Amino acid sequence: MKKQMLVLLLAAVICISGCGQQSDGAEPVVNREGTEAQMDSETGQREEEDGFPKILEDDSDGKSKELNSSDGEGPESDGESDAAQTVGLAELYQENFPIGIALSGYVIQNMDQYGEVVLGNFNSITCENEMKPDALLDMEVSRENLENTYLHAAVHFDNCMPAIVFAEEHGIKIRFHTLVWHSQTPKSFFTEDYTEEGNLVNRETMLARMENYIADVLGYFQENYPGLIYAVDVVNEAFDPGNGDEDGIRTNENLWYETVGPDYYYQAFVFARKYASEGMKLFYNDYGCMDKADLMLERLAQAKEEGLIDGIGMQSHLSTDDRIQFKFMLAVKQFCDAGYEVQATELDIGVKEVSDSAFMSQARKYRAFFKNMKVLQEEGYSVTGITVWGLNDDLSWRRDEHCLLFDGNMNPKKAYLGALLDPAIPDVE
Ligand code: GLA
């Protein structure tokens, strides 16, 4: 009941504040929606052959839908929209998949301010930074005890403890992000003496360190908080077609590649499977998946055949220019058809300008995103989660692009209504 009141309150705030987003009034508004509808309808023919309109509304008549919606009727009356007014996101999608939110340490420490919105809308959390290698590795302790730690670096869980406590307290599950990544991993983890200046270790040493790290981290959660972690980003961003090696493996500033070699991502899955408990689904996570799906499937094939990997995490850092219905969802289908489950792990959709039109376009994209993921799941595709990457625009890593569901003052934006499939947001991209 409390949750329903909160959502009603949020909806009321949107109505009163006009979404908290005002046009800056500087430029005449570019009609992105019109342009996109045209673009999509151009390729609609091709997609039709792929069977997409079977599950997704063609947006070639987007303009008329937009007109219809402005007379207050909304584009659809499928019953779910009415329900959306009174429930939060997690409840709305409870039959489909968990709805997650990435939370920083700051947000976790200020739950008196953010708790109601978080608990009213999300049933999964990802630590924005606190479970990354630079947060878990204890390089100082490792350095001081080199004799014992040379192959087995020390870890600690102080940084992520508030998130664990919060999740436990409220019965929320955690997406673990992330074990093996070229970024946010201290250089000292890769050197002979665990200093930034030391020489890089050889492949065997680094493989041992990788195995011990993965064993320690997964083992810790299994032992102390069984069932808390339901998905693990084992490897983040290993593929960089165009910039990487001849196989598209990331080389740039990638000490995993330098020490272990091009199969480092495969080795990570070997160890993760060895130490993960049954309930932990193992994911490969990356950005730009729409454009590198073929490469990803090829490079991950061995791990897949050997049963080492369960899912693809599509980061989903998008903008209002991205074509959700006819591009993003094709990649989702492609991964599912190849036997993976798919989660959107870091969803945010940036605007190109601050205007009412841009925020409406953003709301439509959110609506298209959530609706299409839901429809795919209902059609039997293994879509198993959506996580939004941050709580509000001002806390976002893409602050200038106002890409989240709430504005800096925690006013719900039209984007929030889009995600809720509210009829106020037209059903076109
Ligand atoms: C990538 C990472 C995330 C986060 C964002 C930027 O997408 O996977 O953990 O660091 O970059 O905030």
Side-chain angles (χ1 to χ4, degrees):
M1 188 62 192
K2 199 173 165 202
K3 200 186 286 176
Q4 291 188 351
M5 281 177 66
L6 171 72
V7 177
L8 280 170
L9 190 68
L10 292 180
V13 173
I14 292 178
C15 293
I16 293 163
S17 68
C19 194
Q21 308 293 348
Q22 300 300 322
S23 164
D24 59 7
E27 293 287 321
V29 164
V30 178
N31 187 349
R32 290 176 195 280
E33 292 76 34
T35 315
E36 289 204 334
Q38 205 181 341
M39 272 173 52
D40 285 351
S41 64
E42 274 168 20
T43 51
Q45 202 66 33
R46 184 171 57 79
E47 311 302 352
E48 210 164 326
E49 284 158 19
D50 293 336
F52 248 83
K54 179 164 62 82
I55 57 161
L56 303 164
E57 292 183 32
D58 190 338
D59 56 4
S60 57
D61 61 344
K63 282 226 158 68
S64 61
K65 281 180 189 160
E66 193 173 354
L67 284 176
N68 285 344
S69 73
S70 68
D71 62 26
E73 298 223 332
E76 58 178 30
S77 58
D78 53 11
E80 71 192 353
S81 314
D82 299 336
Q85 296 286 348
T86 54
V87 300
L89 288 169
E91 206 172 335
L92 180 64
Y93 295 98
Q94 64 185 339
E95 301 297 328
N96 303 107
F97 34 66
I99 304 295
I101 183 80
L103 299 177
S104 64
Y106 168 79
V107 172
I108 299 266
Q109 304 289 1
N110 288 278
M111 275 302 165
D112 49 335
Q113 196 180 340
Y114 301 116
E116 271 198 294
V117 170
V118 170
L119 296 171
N121 286 284
F122 304 101
N123 51 6
S124 159
I125 61 174
T126 302
C127 286
E128 204 169 333
N129 288 303
E130 293 72 14
M131 290 187 185
K132 290 174 176 173
D134 60 0
L136 297 183
L137 282 163
D138 195 329
M139 297 321 297
E140 209 177 310
V141 169
S142 305
R143 235 183 335 267
E144 283 163 6
N145 301 288
L146 201 55
E147 251 174 53
N148 301 320
T149 59
Y150 182 70
L151 295 177
H152 196 150
V155 294
H156 71 104
F157 297 87
D158 300 351
N159 293 316
C160 62
M161 196 47 69
I164 293 173
V165 169
F166 177 75
E168 285 270 288
E169 224 174 88
H170 298 284
I172 295 178
K173 299 259 182 267
I174 294 185
R175 268 202 104 257
F176 181 95
H177 174 76
T178 176
L179 287 170
V180 170
W181 189 23
H182 66 282
S183 179
Q184 290 190 252
T185 305
K187 185 182 177 203
S188 52
F189 186 40
F190 299 88
T191 64
E192 287 287 349
D193 55 0
Y194 288 130
T195 68
E196 294 283 308
E197 302 76 34
N199 293 324
L200 294 182
V201 298
N202 63 21
R203 172 180 165 90
E204 283 62 45
T205 304
M206 207 57 225
L207 277 175
R209 288 184 185 178
M210 180 195 271
E211 173 163 8
N212 285 322
Y213 177 70
I214 290 175
D216 282 357
V217 173
L218 296 185
Y220 173 83
F221 285 103
Q222 177 53 19
E223 202 171 301
N224 298 287
Y225 304 97
L228 183 63
I229 307 272
Y230 69 101
V232 177
D233 288 336
V234 176
V235 178
N236 199 26
E237 302 178 346
F239 307 131
D240 190 15
N243 276 319
D245 70 6
E246 64 277 13
D247 291 324
I249 318 296
R250 176 182 301 280
T251 53
N252 198 22
E253 292 185 9
N254 189 351
L255 292 174
W256 284 114
Y257 187 96
E258 259 181 72
T259 52
V260 173
D263 65 339
Y264 79 90
Y265 65 92
Y266 167 79
Q267 301 294 343
F269 278 104
V270 171
F271 298 136
R273 182 57 89 211
K274 185 169 167 188
Y275 297 104
S277 51
E278 236 173 63
M280 293 176 179
K281 294 291 183 75
L282 303 183
F283 278 74
Y284 174 79
N285 193 54
D286 212 335
Y287 61 85
C289 297
M290 288 185 280
D291 300 312
K292 54 185 175 191
D294 290 343
L295 178 95
M296 288 166 63
L297 287 174
E298 237 176 276
R299 296 291 162 263
L300 294 170
Q302 189 185 347
K304 182 80 180 71
E305 269 163 35
E306 294 171 7
L308 307 177
I309 176 170
D310 300 302
I312 300 292
M314 299 175 72
Q315 288 185 3
S316 316
H317 296 299
L318 302 172
S319 80
T320 48
D321 284 346
D322 280 310
R323 296 168 63 230
I324 296 197
Q325 293 184 197
F326 296 116
K327 193 161 182 204
F328 188 93
M329 295 301 155
L330 284 181
V332 175
K333 285 179 76 173
Q334 193 181 347
F335 291 131
C336 291
D337 287 344
Y340 294 88
E341 58 178 271
V342 171
Q343 295 180 2
T345 53
E346 304 182 19
L347 176 65
D348 50 17
I349 304 178
V351 296
K352 301 285 182 200
E353 62 183 25
V354 175
S355 68
D356 286 344
S357 161
F359 285 118
M360 179 53 96
S361 176
Q362 178 185 50
R364 290 172 169 180
K365 293 288 173 180
Y366 268 106
R367 180 182 173 101
F369 195 94
F370 275 81
K371 178 164 182 183
N372 285 292
M373 292 289 266
K374 172 175 152 67
V375 170
L376 285 179
Q377 190 277 332
E378 285 164 355
E379 290 222 327
Y381 290 92
S382 189
V383 175
T384 57
I386 298 178
T387 288
V388 181
W389 198 250
L391 195 53
N392 78 41
D393 284 351
D394 286 1
L395 299 169
S396 166
W397 70 301
R398 298 169 70 193
R399 196 168 193 269
D400 295 346
E401 295 174 85
H402 307 274
C403 50
L404 295 172
L405 302 176
F406 297 86
D407 72 14
N409 297 317
M410 288 307 292
N411 294 313
K413 296 163 57 184
K414 287 197 175 84
Y416 177 69
L417 290 185
L420 275 177
L421 309 182
D422 188 284
I425 308 303
D427 197 23
V428 290
E429 283 190 59

